[in-house]
Amino acid sequence: MLKLKDIRTFYGNIMALKGVSMDISEGEIITLIGANGAGKSTTLMSICGIVPPRSGEILFMGKPIQHMKPDRIVSLGISQVPEGRRIFPYLTVLENLDMGAFLRNDKENVKRDLEYIFELFPILAERRYQTGGTLSGGEQQMLAISRALMAKPRLLLLDEPSLGLAPLVVKQIFDIITKVNSEQGTTIFLVEQNANLALKVAHRGYVMENGRITLSDNAASLLSNEDVKKAYLGL
Amino acid sequence: MNTIKELKKSFLIALWFMFLTFPIMVIKVNTVEQTIDWRWNRLAMVGIFSFFASWIWRYLLQRKEMGQKRAEESETPTLTFQQRVLQNPKFTRPALVVICIFAAIFPFYFSMYQVNIMTTALIYVILGLGLNIVVGLAGLLDLGYVAFYAVGAYSYALLNVHFGMGFWACLPIGAGLAMLFGIVLGFPVLRLRGDYLAIVTLGFGEIIRLILENWNEFSFGPSGIANIPRPGFFGIKMSIHQSLIYIYFIMVAMVIFTIFVVRRLQDSRIGRAWIALREDEVACQATGIDKTKTKLSAFALGATWAGMGGVVFAAKTTFINPASFTIWESIMILCIVVLGGMGSIVGVIFGAGILILLPEYLRAFSEYRMLMFAAALVLMMVFRPHGIISAVRRTYQFEGSPEKKASS
C-alpha cells in the first residue's frame, strides 16, 4: 500500500533520514520504534508531505506522492495525527471533528462516521460542545485520533499517541486503535516511544536508529529480540 | 475583600504619584522675578486624584476577577449579559428594525456635515469588516491594509482621469485590482506568521504609499488628483447635497452587502478553514486544508473590501493624495477591529462608530484625542480583552439539537 524507497529528508543541511525504505501492506498495523531523534517523526512528516524528502520515492497505491502538497496527500486517504495532539483549542469538539471531514462532501456518510466515533469514544459525545482546549490530555488525544478518522483514511499515521498520558488511558487508546484496524480495515502506521506497548498491538515493526532502519521483523520476534529488549524495552 | 490593605495600597500609590509629579506639578520657576512658586495645593490634588483613581481601578479589577471565578465555578456555561442580549431575538429584531429605519431617514433629518461623517464611518465599517477577515478570522496580522484602500481609490481616480470611466464601472475594477494586490502580497508572505508577517505587510503598505508619492508621471505625486466625479445616477444631475445623500445610501447598501457576505463566509467551508488556520497550522494541514489557497483567499477577500472602500472614498472626497493612505490609517482600521472585537461583525461596527464618530463629536477635546485613544485601548485590554463585543461563535451551537449540527 505504502512504499518508501530510500528517502532522504533534510532539515536545512542536516540529514535527518539517511535513506529509509519501508513497505506497508493494506490492513496492517505497523510500528516504527526508536530512540529520541532517530527520525521517527520525520519519517511521518515526510510521508504526509509537511517536510518533503529531498530524494527517494514514496509510493501510495503505486502512485508517487513525495512531491505532492499535504492537502493533496490527505485527499488520497492518508491522515495524520500529529505529535502532541494539536487539536484546535478554541473550536468545540464537534467543530474539531467537522474540520476532520473538511475534504468530504458526502454528508450522510460523514454523519454515520460521526456516530461511529461517538461510539468509539463516548466521552467525546458527552463533551461535544466543549472547546477542545478544555479537554484533558487523554480526551484531546482521542479527539485528535477521531479528527483524523473523520477523513475516512485508508492509512492512518499516528505520532506518539501515548505521549504524556496515564497508562490506563494509553491502554484504552491502543485498544481503540486495534479496534479501528480490525473493524474498518484501516491500515495503521504507529510511531511510538513506548516500544513494548506498540509491539504488542502491531503486526510488524521497524526499528530506527540515527535516520536509518536497522531492524525489521514481525512484532512478536522483535519483542523477543535480545538487542531490542536491551535497547528499547529496558529488560 | 481586605479593605484596609486595599486602602493602604492606594495610599502608597498616591504618595508615589505625588513624588513623581512633584517637579512638574508643584515647582514653578518664575524666570522674570527669579523666584520659585510652590504650588502645594496641586500636590494635594494629585494625591487625592490618584488615591481615588487607584482605588476604583483596584475595585473594578477585583470585581472582574470575582466574576471570572464565578463563571469558572458554575457547571453550565454562563452567557455574559452582552451575549444574552445579542442572541435574544426579542431584542435583536426590534433593534434591527430601528437601526434600519434610522439609517433610512438619517440623511433627511440631519445636516450635511452629519451625513458626511456618517458616510466616513460607514467606509470604515467596510474596511474594518474586510480587515476582520484577515486578522480576526484567519489570524494574519496585516499592518499594510491601507495599501489596498489606496489601490481602490487610485484605480478609480486614474481610470477616471485617463479614460473618463465612471464610478459604477470602477467599483468592480477597483475591487478586482485590490484583490490582485492582495494575492501579490500574499505570495511572498505565505511562510510568515505573527510579528514577521506584520513587519512585511507594514513595509508593503509603505511601498505603495511611496510609489504613489514619488512616481509623478503615474500618480501625479504628492499633489494628488482633484475633481474626481461623484457617483452618477443614470445621468441625473445632482447638487452636492443630493449626491452626498446618494453616496450615503450607496455606503449603507455596501455595508449591508458586506455584512451578508462576511456572515456567509464565516459559516462556510472556507471560513472554517480560516479559523482552523488561525488556531494551528500543522493540524490544519493534517486535516487536508490547502494552506496556500486558504491564506491567499483571506488576503484577497480582505483586500477586495478595502478596494471598494477606496473607490467610494475617492468618489466622496473628490480629491485624493498619498497623505490619506499613511500607516496611521492602517493602525486606525486595526484598532477598529481589535477594539470592537476580533471576529465579531457587530463589534467591528461598534468599533468603527466609536473610533470615527467620537473624535468628530469631541472636537473640543481634539488635543487630547491620542491620549484618550490610548487610555481607551489600555482600559479595554484590561477589562474586555476580547473587544467590546467579543465574537459569539463559541456559544452559538448550544441552541438546537446535536443531530442538526452533526449533519451540517
Side-chain angles (χ1 to χ4, degrees):
Chain A
M1 181 180 214
L2 186 77
K3 245 195 176 85
L4 274 63
K5 280 191 194 159
D6 196 32
I7 59 166
R8 285 156 205 272
T9 304
F10 291 73
Y11 290 113
N13 282 327
I14 301 156
M15 203 196 304
L17 299 184
K18 302 164 183 165
V20 172
S21 299
M22 265 189 208
D23 206 339
I24 299 171
S25 327
E26 186 126 33
E28 273 187 313
I29 300 183
I30 299 289
T31 183
L32 178 63
I33 56 177
N36 284 331
K40 306 186 299 290
S41 294
T42 309
T43 310
L44 226 153
M45 292 292 199
S46 293
I47 294 173
C48 56
I50 292 175
V51 188
R54 209 172 278 181
S55 70
E57 228 183 348
I58 303 173
L59 298 171
F60 182 65
M61 314 298 261
K63 260 202 296 185
I65 59 166
Q66 69 271 22
H67 294 305
M68 285 187 184
K69 286 207 290 179
D71 56 287
R72 282 283 300 135
I73 293 172
V74 175
S75 72
L76 288 176
I78 301 180
S79 268
Q80 183 211 14
V81 180
E83 189 176 5
R85 306 189 265 275
R86 293 203 171 238
I87 51 152
F88 301 116
Y90 292 109
L91 299 186
T92 63
V93 169
L94 213 50
E95 285 171 325
N96 263 285
L97 294 173
D98 246 11
M99 289 309 303
F102 187 79
L103 290 173
R104 295 173 63 184
N105 284 317
D106 44 344
K107 277 190 184 174
E108 281 308 303
N109 289 334
V110 170
K111 199 176 160 188
R112 201 144 18 90
D113 286 349
L114 193 69
E115 271 156 24
Y116 176 71
I117 274 162
F118 284 157
E119 233 170 79
L120 283 180
F121 301 104
I123 188 80
L124 291 184
E126 257 173 63
R127 304 227 188 284
R128 63 179 99 187
Y129 299 125
Q130 282 188 21
T131 52
T134 62
L135 300 183
S136 73
E139 288 160 2
Q140 287 188 10
Q141 186 65 58
M142 293 177 196
L143 180 57
I145 294 173
S146 307
R147 188 182 61 193
L149 285 176
M150 284 302 285
K152 200 127 183 90
R154 285 196 275 187
L155 174 63
L156 182 64
L157 310 172
L158 290 158
D159 200 349
E160 302 224 9
S162 73
L163 191 76
L165 300 182
L168 210 65
V169 182
V170 174
K171 193 179 170 305
Q172 198 188 346
I173 283 173
F174 274 71
D175 283 347
I176 289 200
I177 292 171
T178 337
K179 198 173 164 194
V180 168
N181 174 258
S182 59
E183 279 181 10
Q184 304 264 314
T186 313
T187 313
I188 285 164
F189 183 55
L190 180 66
V191 166
E192 255 301 340
Q193 280 291 341
N194 190 338
N196 190 19
L197 208 64
L199 287 172
K200 272 181 188 152
V201 300
H203 302 131
R204 286 195 301 125
Y206 287 90
V207 179
M208 196 167 208
E209 255 170 60
N210 283 324
R212 287 194 182 87
I213 301 283
T214 51
L215 255 179
S216 83
D217 207 337
N218 60 46
S221 32
L222 276 181
L223 261 177
S224 54
N225 183 309
E226 285 304 319
D227 292 336
V228 174
K229 265 189 190 171
K230 246 188 248 155
Y232 303 108
L233 303 177
L235 299 171
Chain B
M1 226 188 284
N2 205 340
T3 20
I4 302 277
K5 213 172 152 193
E6 293 294 311
L7 285 175
K8 200 178 139 198
K9 265 188 196 162
S10 297
F11 181 69
L12 284 176
I13 285 173
L15 273 184
W16 180 236
F17 262 79
M18 278 152 78
F19 172 71
L20 279 181
T21 54
F22 183 77
I24 47 168
M25 295 299 278
V26 179
I27 303 172
K28 189 184 175 196
V29 181
N30 191 328
T31 43
V32 181
E33 291 167 27
Q34 307 252 323
T35 55
I36 293 176
D37 292 343
W38 299 89
R39 299 174 295 178
W40 294 110
N41 58 333
R42 286 200 169 199
L43 187 70
M45 262 159 58
V46 167
I48 291 165
F49 176 77
S50 50
F51 177 78
F52 281 107
S54 90
W55 196 68
I56 290 167
W57 175 262
R58 223 181 277 277
Y59 173 73
L60 287 175
L61 268 185
Q62 214 164 35
R63 246 186 55 160
K64 187 186 158 227
E65 264 160 37
M66 294 247 294
Q68 266 172 1
K69 217 177 268 170
R70 226 178 299 133
E72 275 162 23
E73 274 165 8
S74 61
E75 289 273 309
T76 51
T78 47
L79 298 176
T80 60
F81 172 73
Q82 163 231 326
Q83 282 168 344
R84 261 185 322 228
V85 168
L86 283 180
Q87 284 177 1
N88 186 357
K90 264 186 205 150
F91 171 78
T92 48
R93 278 194 200 130
L96 216 60
V97 171
V98 169
I99 290 170
C100 284
I101 293 171
F102 179 73
I105 60 169
F106 177 80
F108 305 109
Y109 286 87
F110 288 88
S111 68
M112 220 163 101
Y113 168 70
Q114 304 282 351
V115 175
N116 216 347
I117 59 174
M118 190 54 99
T119 311
T120 310
L122 290 177
I123 292 178
Y124 277 93
V125 167
I126 286 196
L127 293 174
L129 287 172
L131 187 63
N132 195 22
I133 294 176
V134 186
V135 178
L137 291 181
L140 306 163
L141 184 53
D142 185 352
L143 287 181
Y145 193 62
V146 76
F148 309 122
Y149 187 41
V151 167
Y154 266 90
S155 56
Y156 175 40
L158 289 174
L159 284 173
N160 184 270
V161 167
H162 294 303
F163 305 106
M165 287 171 77
F167 173 81
W168 291 108
C170 287
L171 190 61
I173 294 175
L177 275 175
M179 181 189 259
L180 205 70
F181 270 81
I183 294 171
V184 167
L185 169 64
F187 263 113
V189 302
L190 275 175
R191 294 154 165 272
L192 304 177
R193 265 195 89 93
D195 319 357
Y196 307 102
L197 179 70
I199 296 286
V200 174
T201 51
L202 192 131
F204 180 78
E206 283 300 281
I207 287 171
I208 296 280
R209 188 180 65 81
L210 287 172
I211 287 176
L212 292 175
E213 203 147 287
N214 293 304
W215 194 358
N216 285 349
E217 300 79 43
F218 172 70
S219 67
F220 301 98
S223 53
I225 301 169
N227 290 327
I228 302 165
R230 296 198 165 84
F233 185 67
F234 300 112
I236 299 169
K237 271 240 175 261
M238 281 186 284
S239 67
I240 291 178
H241 186 79
Q242 278 169 328
S243 63
L244 272 180
I245 291 175
Y246 181 48
I247 294 175
Y248 166 80
F249 278 116
I250 292 174
M251 273 322 293
V252 169
M254 270 171 76
V255 166
I256 292 170
F257 173 67
T258 312
I259 291 172
F260 175 74
V261 172
V262 171
R263 272 188 76 119
R264 298 290 299 176
L265 277 175
Q266 259 177 0
D267 298 338
S268 74
R269 212 181 181 71
I270 190 154
R272 281 188 299 156
W274 285 334
I275 291 163
L277 189 74
R278 178 184 70 193
E279 297 208 354
D280 196 316
E281 259 181 46
V282 173
C284 202
Q285 285 178 304
T287 57
I289 294 166
D290 188 340
K291 207 172 88 179
T292 316
K293 232 195 275 171
T294 311
K295 270 193 182 180
L296 282 182
S297 63
F299 267 115
L301 277 166
T304 309
W305 260 268
M308 292 207 287
V311 173
V312 178
F313 173 75
K316 176 183 155 283
T317 53
T318 70
F319 167 75
I320 53 168
N321 71 349
S324 309
F325 308 106
T326 57
I327 175 77
W328 290 111
E329 218 56 27
S330 287
I331 289 173
M332 191 72 162
I333 303 164
L334 189 66
C335 279
I336 287 173
V337 175
V338 174
L339 186 81
M342 274 203 253
S344 151
I345 295 172
V346 188
V348 170
I349 296 170
F350 259 87
I354 289 168
L355 288 186
I356 306 300
L357 293 183
L358 273 193
E360 292 288 346
Y361 291 123
L362 296 177
R363 284 251 174 236
F365 305 102
S366 59
E367 280 173 34
Y368 301 101
R369 188 185 293 179
M370 278 299 154
L371 188 70
M372 284 163 71
F373 212 69
L377 280 176
V378 170
L379 281 176
M380 194 204 79
M381 283 304 155
V382 173
F383 291 105
R384 291 203 72 98
H386 292 292
I388 295 171
I389 312 277
S390 50
V392 288
R393 63 163 290 110
R394 264 172 249 171
T395 47
Y396 77 99
Q397 301 96 336
F398 283 97
E399 294 167 23
S401 66
E403 282 74 24
K404 232 168 76 188
K405 173 68 189 164
S407 62
S408 67

